[in-house]
Amino acid sequence: MKIKKIGILTGGGDCPGLNPAIRGAVYRALSEGIECVGILDGWKGMLEAKSVSLSLTDVEYIVNKGGTILGTSRTNPYKKEGGPDKCVETLNKLGLDALIAMGGEDTLGVATKLYKEKNFPVVGVPKTMDNDLSATDYTFGFDTAVTVAVDAAERLIDTGRSHRRIMVLEVMGRHAGWVALYTGIASAADWILIPEEEINIQNMCEHLKKVYERKKTALVIVSEGVILPGLKTEKEELDEFGHMILKKRGIGEQIAEVIEKNTGIETRVAVIGHIQRGGAPTLFDRILGLRVGVKAVELVLEGKFGYMVALKGNNVVPVPLEEATGKLKTVDSDWVNFMKIFFK
Ligand code: F6P
């Protein structure tokens, strides 16, 4: 079938690199004379048939822009009455031959189901600052988020050293510790807490006391998804995909309290939250975004629906969507052992 018109949507949490990916897809499509349409606000736009046309001038200068020009949402069509059928209706109504869905586990999970159940002509582009998507080495958004977090961590070291305090930095990452791990290793942190590892408060506090004797400061990076046994957790709200909304847990604050109580050393906490998701994409995220955007259109041209574009080594290759969405990619024991080398 000759492809004449494609739709592009961005779903789930935004992240730097989405605009480069949109740009890559539109440029590649235009080189084949394919018309591009942007679906607004993720799957919500497919349910409501909300779209805009995407021309060269719309995407010419977005390679350096954070966020997504198409808007996003955490809408799940499978949680709406007749949702999947509405997505098919919109595809037909807009005259789309294919849809490129850019998202993480949730957005691509919907794409996987639509492809399997409705033979929906969809190709996936992986994105998430959490870097927790299987079947790809990296997702764009991660490099920028960690770069921002490392900058924050280094600022905390300066003020912590001046005031002779322990500093705690809480970073995002949901149920995977990649953001905390990379931030901690790259900013010379003294302890890193990730959801994949059970917390040993006694070990951590003894280590921090030892470090403090030497440096009169210490830095702890904590991932928002860490569980502190026995300590207060507010009732967690769930999003439409059944994920906990972690923003109200205050794990950083709880960790800081525990550290201060157990070490007797004044401790402060900073939570950078959504700051990690904004701003210009780093060079890595720009290039990766452009590459996967271009490749997604090439998969459409080959009729490779039900696939996602993945980064494997330095190659951008197709992988079945199902492989990417079946299981989260979490931090393994090799990385944990590597991280511990730097706790001295
Ligand atoms: O999945 C990306 C992410 O930034 C997570 O790290 C974080 O837990 C979540 O999104 C925050 O979501 P929201 O923007 O809906 O508050």
Side-chain angles (χ1 to χ4, degrees):
M1 183 184 74
K2 172 117 177 74
I3 303 287
K4 294 198 209 76
K5 194 174 178 185
I6 60 170
I8 301 171
L9 72 74
T10 56
D14 69 324
C15 70
L18 278 169
N19 284 329
I22 295 168
R23 186 178 196 263
V26 173
Y27 267 70
R28 186 65 183 92
L30 292 180
S31 70
E32 299 289 330
I34 298 172
E35 189 185 339
C36 292
V37 161
I39 308 295
L40 297 178
D41 303 342
W43 291 113
K44 186 165 184 272
M46 281 306 277
L47 295 176
E48 297 171 2
K50 292 219 167 104
S51 66
V52 286
S53 69
L54 280 176
S55 67
L56 182 66
T57 51
D58 294 315
V59 299
E60 212 161 12
Y61 285 114
I62 62 170
V63 72
N64 58 344
K65 298 274 186 283
T68 160
I69 58 165
L70 298 177
T72 186
S73 70
R74 293 198 189 275
T75 302
N76 181 355
Y78 281 88
K79 285 277 148 111
K80 312 280 176 202
E81 185 71 29
D85 289 329
K86 278 197 192 132
C87 292
V88 177
E89 260 170 51
T90 300
L91 190 84
N92 295 331
K93 186 171 158 195
L94 298 177
L96 303 179
D97 299 310
L99 180 73
I100 295 177
M102 302 183 174
E105 187 209 354
D106 298 335
T107 305
L108 298 182
V110 172
T112 312
K113 270 181 153 178
L114 284 174
Y115 170 71
K116 279 175 73 181
E117 293 171 11
K118 308 270 171 198
N119 205 18
F120 201 89
V122 64
V123 164
V125 165
K127 69 88 229 184
T128 166
M129 63 154 281
D130 303 337
N131 203 36
D132 59 357
L133 210 57
S134 295
T136 186
D137 292 351
Y138 283 97
T139 46
F140 59 73
F142 176 67
D143 189 68
T144 309
V146 174
T147 302
V148 170
V150 166
D151 178 65
E154 288 175 346
R155 288 165 194 266
L156 292 182
I157 292 174
D158 288 346
T159 173
R161 187 181 288 130
S162 306
H163 281 264
R164 321 276 184 228
R165 286 170 175 156
I166 294 178
M167 303 304 289
V168 175
L169 174 64
E170 179 189 315
V171 296
M172 280 182 167
R174 217 191 274 261
H175 304 299
W178 296 109
V179 176
L181 177 85
Y182 272 53
T183 302
I185 293 172
S187 63
D190 301 291
W191 200 264
I192 304 166
L193 293 166
I194 57 175
E196 292 86 343
E197 268 257 296
E198 213 177 299
I199 304 186
N200 185 327
I201 293 173
Q202 205 192 337
N203 277 1
M204 172 177 72
C205 291
E206 270 168 21
H207 178 74
L208 291 175
K209 278 204 265 182
K210 188 183 96 184
V211 165
Y212 189 85
E213 265 178 39
R214 186 173 82 237
K215 314 200 262 190
K216 297 286 169 272
T217 187
L219 174 66
V220 176
I221 308 293
V222 53
S223 175
E224 63 176 352
V226 162
I227 311 278
L228 197 46
L231 277 187
K232 56 184 182 226
T233 41
E234 301 289 320
K235 195 173 173 306
E236 318 277 8
E237 264 178 63
L238 300 183
D239 67 17
E240 284 193 12
F241 290 89
H243 294 304
M244 278 191 285
I245 299 174
L246 298 170
K247 65 178 189 290
K248 293 182 187 149
R249 295 178 70 227
I251 187 70
E253 205 141 317
Q254 294 183 23
I255 293 291
E257 268 175 39
V258 166
I259 292 173
E260 193 166 89
K261 199 164 136 238
N262 283 273
T263 61
I265 302 165
E266 193 177 31
T267 304
R268 293 285 193 269
V269 62
V271 183
I272 47 172
H274 291 82
I275 293 169
Q276 291 156 99
R277 289 229 307 253
T282 55
L283 170 67
F284 181 85
D285 283 341
R286 290 182 200 199
I287 302 298
L288 181 57
L290 290 168
R291 288 180 81 192
V292 292
V294 165
K295 186 72 177 180
V297 173
E298 288 169 359
L299 295 193
V300 168
L301 290 168
E302 289 166 28
K304 261 186 143 20
F305 300 124
Y307 277 76
M308 177 189 92
V309 182
L311 182 70
K312 299 260 192 191
N314 196 22
N315 296 318
V316 173
V317 297
V319 293
L321 266 172
E322 228 167 346
E323 243 179 66
T325 53
K327 188 169 162 278
L328 271 193
K329 182 179 73 186
T330 49
V331 175
D332 61 23
S333 55
D334 284 351
W335 273 107
V336 171
N337 293 336
F338 179 72
M339 158 182 113
K340 287 184 177 164
I341 292 173
F342 302 100
F343 297 174
K344 279 278 176 294

